[in-house]
Amino acid sequence: MLTELRIKNFAIIESLSLPLARGFNVLSGETGAGKSIIVGALGLLLGERASVDLIRTGADRASVEGVFEISEHSEIARMLDDHGIDADESLVVLKREIAASGRTRAWVNGSAVSATLLAEISRHLVNLHGQHEAQTLLDAESQRRILDVFAGATEVAEQTRSAFDDVASGRREIADLLRRKSEAERRADYLRHVAKEIEEARLVEGEDTRLEDEARRLENAEELRALASGIASAIDGEDEAVLTILGGVERHLSAIQRIDPTLARLQELYDSAYYNLEALARELEEYEASIDLDPARLDEVRARRDLLFRLTKKYGATLAEVIETGHRTREELDLVDSAGLDMRQLEAREREAHARLQERASALTELRRGAAQRLAGSVDHVLPDLGMPDGHFSVRLVPQSEIGPSGAEDIEFRVSLNVGHEERALSRVASGGELSRVMLALKTILARLDHVPTLVFDEVDAGIGGRVGLMVGEMMRRVAAHHQVFAITHLPQIAARAHHHILVAKGARGGVTTADITVLTGADRVSELARMLGGDPESDVSRAHAQELLESAAAPELAGAAAAGGTAAQRPPRRKR
């Protein structure tokens, strides 16, 4: 459970430490005092969007910190351990900070974590029900989700969605194959022409470069032979050839070495130069001999180059792209012949996926059908306690023409809240206050299945009052027997039913508005309830009424009713239909 919420420099709050206890906690105060800001700070801790606008004027950062006792929830400690976070046996501390620069940071037990991980962990600790959440009851998707949770069918629902995705994927593959086959058939003549032209060319990657080199040699054959011959003659020809001259150099080198034997190494350099020049002369002679004056071959090379040029102009900027175009064209043509086999394989896979979808959807329908009756009975059992003795709730499974991602049926919540009225869709008959009470009835029922230790209700009492307010307060007190409940309320009837009452009041520090809290007990709590009743907090009449509310909440018979979940004698009688 949430034992303490610490808020610093958040909106109008400078510094606030909110202590919470087991059971039913309420937060009250004048409109604008900061109650919703406290809930907003808690929402930030639960992973909601952060904004620099939330930082208090004059501060450079805002922070929210929550201390949770988890001694009775070992699964939470195990989850922290799975994420590599040190987990105390009894406490977990969540913290989130917003800097004026826009940067946000989060911690769990002092370990830095992402906002996503913070939200994942916090969802196992707190369930926040906002003041506008009752409107989600009008959404078919929300109604389906509520029924699946109650039915314990969330895993089967996910399997159904996965099977539907497999069927949809298979159908897309079939449609794509048909489209491509149709396109290939339409373009078959053109494709055959392209494939034939490219395949008959017998292209080899890199061929264009080699042809360029060969053409250059053939076009300059005479010049190349003359150059090679001239160089070879200069090295190893007659008269003034280089090697002849080097013969005289060797005689002088030998004379030097006879005088100075230390210059023997020069002979090695000379020999190396001489032999290299001999090798160069031989290479040039061989090169000269290899060059043919072959006009016929030159015509062949030029013709081949022209062919490659035409193909690259038509089918790709490079020879490699032309070759790839040939491969793609052949594959597209092959599709015309092989599509039948591929189609049979795809259709077989689609049939298997559809069979799995039908199996999962059928199992989901069975779970929903049984749960619909149980959920309707459970809500009907609770509605009298919320001031609707003639209320009747039902869940209708509306078959779809074909199985969708959420199963074979739509879910529709229906109600008849007044005697003599036929059932209609919840969205057509319920007022705002009635919606809030139906939502509270559902939350009360689902809370028995929910392992989240703390439930937060933000002004779900909108649109109700009087005796109904007492009933709603008593209902929250019953839920608090199994969960910590934290509610923000304007109704004294609800506040009086709380085990722990906290007042939020607006003040000022240093000329800047702030919000402070006070834990109310004794006479202070009586004064706050008197104020909420709309009277003079100091008048004897208002205080007597407030005291009566508190005493009724603590009366032994009501305490017994809370422990037993209520009895038929204590509920307003349900009129016969």
Side-chain angles (χ1 to χ4, degrees):
M1 69 172 187
L2 178 60
T3 61
E4 186 177 8
L5 183 65
R6 304 165 187 158
I7 307 170
K8 288 186 178 180
N9 298 321
F10 185 89
I12 66 170
I13 297 173
E14 180 182 22
S15 180
L16 182 150
S17 180
L18 182 70
L20 297 172
R22 290 184 181 276
F24 184 17
N25 300 257
V26 295
L27 198 66
S28 68
E30 296 280 4
T31 299
K35 301 185 298 298
S36 294
I37 292 174
I38 291 175
V39 174
L42 180 58
L44 183 71
L45 197 64
L46 303 183
E48 292 184 4
R49 182 178 176 273
S51 169
V52 295
D53 296 335
L54 298 172
I55 300 175
R56 177 177 163 84
T57 301
D60 61 355
R61 64 190 65 243
S63 67
V64 183
E65 192 171 8
V67 181
F68 296 84
E69 182 184 336
I70 60 169
S71 56
E72 298 176 3
H73 299 274
S74 57
E75 70 280 1
I76 295 175
R78 286 195 298 271
M79 180 179 63
L80 294 177
D81 186 63
D82 290 341
H83 286 94
I85 299 171
D86 291 335
D88 185 272
E89 292 183 357
S90 59
L91 293 178
V92 59
V93 180
L94 309 185
K95 183 178 180 180
R96 196 168 182 200
E97 180 182 271
I98 315 169
S101 63
R103 181 187 180 192
T104 65
R105 295 192 295 172
W107 296 267
V108 177
N109 282 357
S111 298
V113 299
S114 66
T116 302
L117 179 55
L118 182 77
E120 179 184 344
I121 293 171
S122 64
R123 281 196 297 270
H124 291 78
L125 296 167
V126 179
N127 201 330
L128 176 59
H129 310 294
Q131 56 182 317
H132 304 297
E133 189 179 7
Q135 294 298 318
T136 62
L137 274 182
L138 307 181
D139 175 58
E141 176 66 16
S142 296
Q143 294 179 6
R144 181 196 61 75
R145 187 167 54 250
I146 288 171
L147 179 62
D148 286 348
V149 169
F150 183 80
T154 52
E155 183 176 350
V156 178
E158 184 56 38
Q159 292 171 353
T160 302
R161 182 176 298 277
S162 177
F164 177 85
D165 290 342
D166 290 343
V167 171
S169 176
R171 289 174 177 172
R172 284 194 300 270
E173 288 185 49
I174 291 172
D176 181 63
L177 179 62
L178 287 172
R179 178 191 59 76
R180 291 189 293 116
K181 180 176 183 291
S182 175
E183 180 69 13
E185 289 173 342
R186 185 181 65 80
R187 300 188 332 131
D189 289 342
Y190 169 74
L191 293 173
R192 289 191 185 96
H193 168 74
V194 173
K196 182 174 183 290
E197 188 173 18
I198 294 175
E199 289 170 357
E200 286 181 350
R202 299 183 181 278
L203 302 176
V204 178
E205 193 166 346
E207 179 184 8
D208 50 347
T209 302
R210 292 193 295 274
L211 287 173
E212 287 289 339
D213 294 340
E214 185 178 0
R216 194 162 47 250
R217 288 195 302 272
L218 289 168
E219 290 168 347
N220 297 279
E222 289 187 3
E223 183 179 359
L224 290 173
R225 290 181 70 174
L227 290 170
S229 176
I231 298 171
S233 295
I235 295 173
D236 194 15
E238 298 177 358
D239 301 328
E240 298 299 320
V242 173
L243 293 181
T244 302
I245 295 171
L246 284 178
V249 170
E250 183 178 21
R251 288 193 296 274
H252 292 305
L253 185 61
S254 298
I256 290 174
Q257 291 180 69
R258 283 196 299 273
I259 300 170
D260 186 358
T262 62
L263 297 180
R265 60 186 179 80
L266 297 180
Q267 185 65 44
E268 295 178 5
L269 294 175
Y270 170 85
D271 292 343
S272 176
Y274 189 91
Y275 296 143
N276 283 334
L277 284 170
E278 275 190 326
L280 176 58
R282 285 195 301 272
E283 290 281 345
L284 287 167
E285 290 169 355
E286 292 172 2
Y287 176 72
E288 177 189 2
S290 71
I291 295 175
D292 294 326
L293 299 177
D294 191 348
R297 175 56 185 166
L298 178 58
D299 290 341
E300 290 178 7
V301 170
R302 286 172 173 169
R304 183 68 175 175
R305 287 171 61 199
D306 290 342
L307 173 62
L308 299 188
F309 178 76
R310 289 195 303 273
L311 292 176
T312 53
K313 290 288 286 185
K314 293 169 67 174
Y315 304 123
T318 66
L319 189 62
E321 290 182 16
V322 175
I323 294 171
E324 179 59 28
T325 298
H327 292 329
R328 287 199 307 270
T329 303
R330 176 51 61 189
E331 288 173 359
E332 198 169 348
L333 277 172
D334 291 344
L335 178 64
V336 177
D337 299 325
S338 65
L341 176 60
D342 293 342
M343 182 65 69
R344 288 193 292 273
Q345 293 173 340
L346 288 176
E347 288 174 342
R349 289 210 306 266
E350 191 274 338
R351 286 193 298 271
E352 291 174 2
H354 193 264
R356 288 195 301 272
L357 174 61
Q358 289 180 313
E359 178 188 357
R360 292 294 82 201
S362 177
L364 183 59
T365 298
E366 288 302 311
L367 289 173
R368 286 173 173 170
R369 187 177 289 122
Q373 297 178 353
R374 298 196 308 275
L375 181 60
S378 298
V379 174
D380 277 358
H381 186 71
V382 172
L383 288 179
D385 291 340
L386 296 174
M388 292 185 284
D390 300 310
H392 177 64
F393 178 88
S394 67
V395 181
R396 182 181 175 190
L397 274 60
V398 183
Q400 298 183 28
S401 57
E402 61 178 304
I403 300 172
S406 58
E409 59 279 319
D410 290 324
I411 307 302
E412 183 181 70
F413 287 177
R414 302 177 66 85
V415 291
S416 171
L417 299 178
N418 297 290
V419 67
H421 288 248
E422 65 179 11
E423 286 185 359
R424 292 186 181 180
L426 185 63
S427 58
R428 296 178 56 194
V429 299
S431 67
E434 289 168 334
L435 270 178
S436 293
R437 281 180 278 167
V438 173
M439 171 62 86
L440 183 57
L442 288 166
K443 291 296 182 183
T444 300
I445 294 162
L446 294 175
R448 302 169 191 165
L449 309 174
D450 196 347
H451 298 293
V452 176
T454 299
L455 305 178
V456 179
F457 295 94
D458 181 15
E459 299 187 17
V460 292
D461 54 14
I464 63 175
R467 178 170 175 76
V468 174
L470 284 172
M471 294 176 173
V472 170
E474 189 59 40
M475 181 64 66
M476 288 186 173
R477 191 178 176 100
R478 290 182 198 171
V479 175
H482 306 285
H483 297 261
Q484 181 192 41
V485 176
F486 177 29
I488 288 78
T489 184
H490 290 286
L491 288 183
Q493 298 94 325
I494 292 178
R497 290 301 188 263
H499 301 103
H500 191 57
H501 192 159
I502 302 167
L503 172 66
V504 182
K506 187 182 292 185
R509 291 198 186 103
V512 180
T513 302
T514 188
D516 296 304
I517 61 102
T518 304
V519 177
L520 299 179
T521 57
D524 292 335
R525 189 176 185 191
V526 172
S527 296
E528 171 61 7
L529 291 175
R531 181 199 64 78
M532 296 174 74
L533 284 164
D536 180 358
E538 302 304 323
S539 75
D540 292 340
V541 174
S542 296
R543 294 181 71 83
H545 190 181
Q547 186 65 44
E548 182 181 357
L549 283 176
L550 286 172
E551 290 173 355
S552 67
E557 61 270 24
L558 286 181
T567 64
Q570 291 160 337
R571 296 191 183 92
R574 183 186 294 275
R575 296 189 186 126
K576 294 183 179 178
R577 299 189 175 276

Tab-separated table of all heavy atoms in Angstrom, residues 504-526:
chain	number	residue	atom	x	y	z
A	504	VAL	N	-6.929	19.339	2.452
A	504	VAL	CA	-6.029	20.157	1.640
A	504	VAL	C	-6.516	21.596	1.711
A	504	VAL	O	-7.700	21.872	1.483
A	504	VAL	CB	-6.007	19.692	0.172
A	504	VAL	CG1	-5.027	20.528	-0.647
A	504	VAL	CG2	-5.629	18.233	0.088
A	505	ALA	N	-5.610	22.513	2.038
A	505	ALA	CA	-5.967	23.933	2.145
A	505	ALA	C	-4.943	24.765	1.394
A	505	ALA	O	-3.750	24.459	1.379
A	505	ALA	CB	-6.036	24.362	3.607
A	506	LYS	N	-5.405	25.835	0.760
A	506	LYS	CA	-4.534	26.725	0.014
A	506	LYS	C	-4.005	27.807	0.957
A	506	LYS	O	-4.733	28.341	1.779
A	506	LYS	CB	-5.294	27.366	-1.147
A	506	LYS	CG	-4.432	28.175	-2.094
A	506	LYS	CD	-5.266	28.815	-3.203
A	506	LYS	CE	-5.808	27.765	-4.131
A	506	LYS	NZ	-6.531	28.384	-5.296
A	507	GLY	N	-2.697	28.084	0.835
A	507	GLY	CA	-2.069	29.124	1.647
A	507	GLY	C	-1.058	29.877	0.803
A	507	GLY	O	-1.115	29.871	-0.423
A	508	ALA	N	-0.116	30.546	1.473
A	508	ALA	CA	0.915	31.295	0.747
A	508	ALA	C	2.206	31.279	1.534
A	508	ALA	O	2.199	31.318	2.772
A	508	ALA	CB	0.465	32.725	0.504
A	509	ARG	N	3.336	31.182	0.786
A	509	ARG	CA	4.654	31.288	1.385
A	509	ARG	C	5.488	32.215	0.512
A	509	ARG	O	5.614	31.985	-0.691
A	509	ARG	CB	5.352	29.920	1.463
A	509	ARG	CG	4.725	28.965	2.461
A	509	ARG	CD	5.691	27.830	2.812
A	509	ARG	NE	5.048	26.834	3.647
A	509	ARG	CZ	4.611	25.667	3.213
A	509	ARG	NH1	4.755	25.351	1.951
A	509	ARG	NH2	4.039	24.808	4.025
A	510	GLY	N	6.037	33.255	1.152
A	510	GLY	CA	6.872	34.197	0.407
A	510	GLY	C	6.127	34.882	-0.714
A	510	GLY	O	6.706	35.183	-1.762
A	511	GLY	N	4.840	35.075	-0.532
A	511	GLY	CA	4.053	35.749	-1.552
A	511	GLY	C	3.620	34.853	-2.695
A	511	GLY	O	3.073	35.332	-3.692
A	512	VAL	N	3.869	33.528	-2.607
A	512	VAL	CA	3.490	32.590	-3.663
A	512	VAL	C	2.507	31.573	-3.093
A	512	VAL	O	2.719	31.019	-2.023
A	512	VAL	CB	4.730	31.857	-4.232
A	512	VAL	CG1	4.304	30.893	-5.333
A	512	VAL	CG2	5.743	32.853	-4.750
A	513	THR	N	1.405	31.343	-3.822
A	513	THR	CA	0.375	30.411	-3.372
A	513	THR	C	0.940	29.006	-3.236
A	513	THR	O	1.741	28.559	-4.052
A	513	THR	CB	-0.798	30.387	-4.377
A	513	THR	OG1	-1.325	31.710	-4.490
A	513	THR	CG2	-1.892	29.446	-3.919
A	514	THR	N	0.495	28.311	-2.198
A	514	THR	CA	0.919	26.928	-1.997
A	514	THR	C	-0.237	26.136	-1.428
A	514	THR	O	-1.294	26.686	-1.081
A	514	THR	CB	2.134	26.842	-1.064
A	514	THR	OG1	2.622	25.496	-1.041
A	514	THR	CG2	1.765	27.254	0.354
A	515	ALA	N	-0.083	24.835	-1.357
A	515	ALA	CA	-1.105	23.957	-0.786
A	515	ALA	C	-0.486	23.178	0.364
A	515	ALA	O	0.650	22.715	0.272
A	515	ALA	CB	-1.648	23.003	-1.840
A	516	ASP	N	-1.237	23.054	1.446
A	516	ASP	CA	-0.786	22.314	2.623
A	516	ASP	C	-1.842	21.291	2.995
A	516	ASP	O	-3.020	21.406	2.626
A	516	ASP	CB	-0.546	23.265	3.801
A	516	ASP	CG	0.581	24.241	3.523
A	516	ASP	OD1	1.688	23.783	3.222
A	516	ASP	OD2	0.333	25.455	3.585
A	517	ILE	N	-1.425	20.280	3.763
A	517	ILE	CA	-2.377	19.249	4.177
A	517	ILE	C	-2.378	19.130	5.699
A	517	ILE	O	-1.388	19.435	6.375
A	517	ILE	CB	-2.053	17.883	3.536
A	517	ILE	CG1	-0.642	17.393	3.952
A	517	ILE	CG2	-2.150	17.957	2.044
A	517	ILE	CD1	-0.655	16.345	5.013
A	518	THR	N	-3.508	18.666	6.195
A	518	THR	CA	-3.659	18.427	7.625
A	518	THR	C	-4.424	17.129	7.813
A	518	THR	O	-5.466	16.920	7.175
A	518	THR	CB	-4.451	19.565	8.304
A	518	THR	OG1	-3.816	20.820	8.040
A	518	THR	CG2	-4.537	19.337	9.806
A	519	VAL	N	-3.911	16.246	8.674
A	519	VAL	CA	-4.627	15.025	9.016
A	519	VAL	C	-5.656	15.382	10.079
A	519	VAL	O	-5.323	15.936	11.133
A	519	VAL	CB	-3.663	13.937	9.534
A	519	VAL	CG1	-4.448	12.698	9.946
A	519	VAL	CG2	-2.630	13.586	8.470
A	520	LEU	N	-6.916	15.094	9.763
A	520	LEU	CA	-8.015	15.523	10.638
A	520	LEU	C	-8.428	14.408	11.596
A	520	LEU	O	-8.601	13.253	11.193
A	520	LEU	CB	-9.223	15.924	9.789
A	520	LEU	CG	-9.014	17.085	8.807
A	520	LEU	CD1	-10.302	17.342	8.035
A	520	LEU	CD2	-8.580	18.352	9.548
A	521	THR	N	-8.593	14.781	12.845
A	521	THR	CA	-9.142	13.884	13.864
A	521	THR	C	-10.031	14.715	14.784
A	521	THR	O	-9.954	15.948	14.809
A	521	THR	CB	-8.029	13.219	14.703
A	521	THR	OG1	-7.228	14.253	15.310
A	521	THR	CG2	-7.142	12.346	13.832
A	522	GLY	N	-10.889	14.028	15.502
A	522	GLY	CA	-11.670	14.687	16.535
A	522	GLY	C	-12.468	15.884	16.042
A	522	GLY	O	-13.146	15.846	15.010
A	523	ALA	N	-12.356	16.987	16.775
A	523	ALA	CA	-13.151	18.183	16.495
A	523	ALA	C	-12.805	18.781	15.132
A	523	ALA	O	-13.679	19.347	14.457
A	523	ALA	CB	-12.926	19.223	17.601
A	524	ASP	N	-11.547	18.666	14.702
A	524	ASP	CA	-11.169	19.219	13.391
A	524	ASP	C	-11.898	18.493	12.264
A	524	ASP	O	-12.324	19.112	11.286
A	524	ASP	CB	-9.658	19.098	13.178
A	524	ASP	CG	-8.878	20.016	14.120
A	524	ASP	OD1	-9.448	21.029	14.559
A	524	ASP	OD2	-7.700	19.710	14.394
A	525	ARG	N	-12.043	17.208	12.413
A	525	ARG	CA	-12.748	16.461	11.375
A	525	ARG	C	-14.227	16.816	11.380
A	525	ARG	O	-14.843	16.944	10.318
A	525	ARG	CB	-12.556	14.957	11.594
A	525	ARG	CG	-13.088	14.127	10.434
A	525	ARG	CD	-12.825	12.645	10.587
A	525	ARG	NE	-13.255	11.927	9.405
A	525	ARG	CZ	-13.341	10.612	9.329
A	525	ARG	NH1	-12.991	9.855	10.376
A	525	ARG	NH2	-13.763	10.024	8.214
A	526	VAL	N	-14.806	16.991	12.549
A	526	VAL	CA	-16.208	17.416	12.638
A	526	VAL	C	-16.390	18.762	11.942
A	526	VAL	O	-17.347	18.977	11.194
A	526	VAL	CB	-16.656	17.489	14.106
A	526	VAL	CG1	-18.051	18.110	14.210
A	526	VAL	CG2	-16.655	16.103	14.751
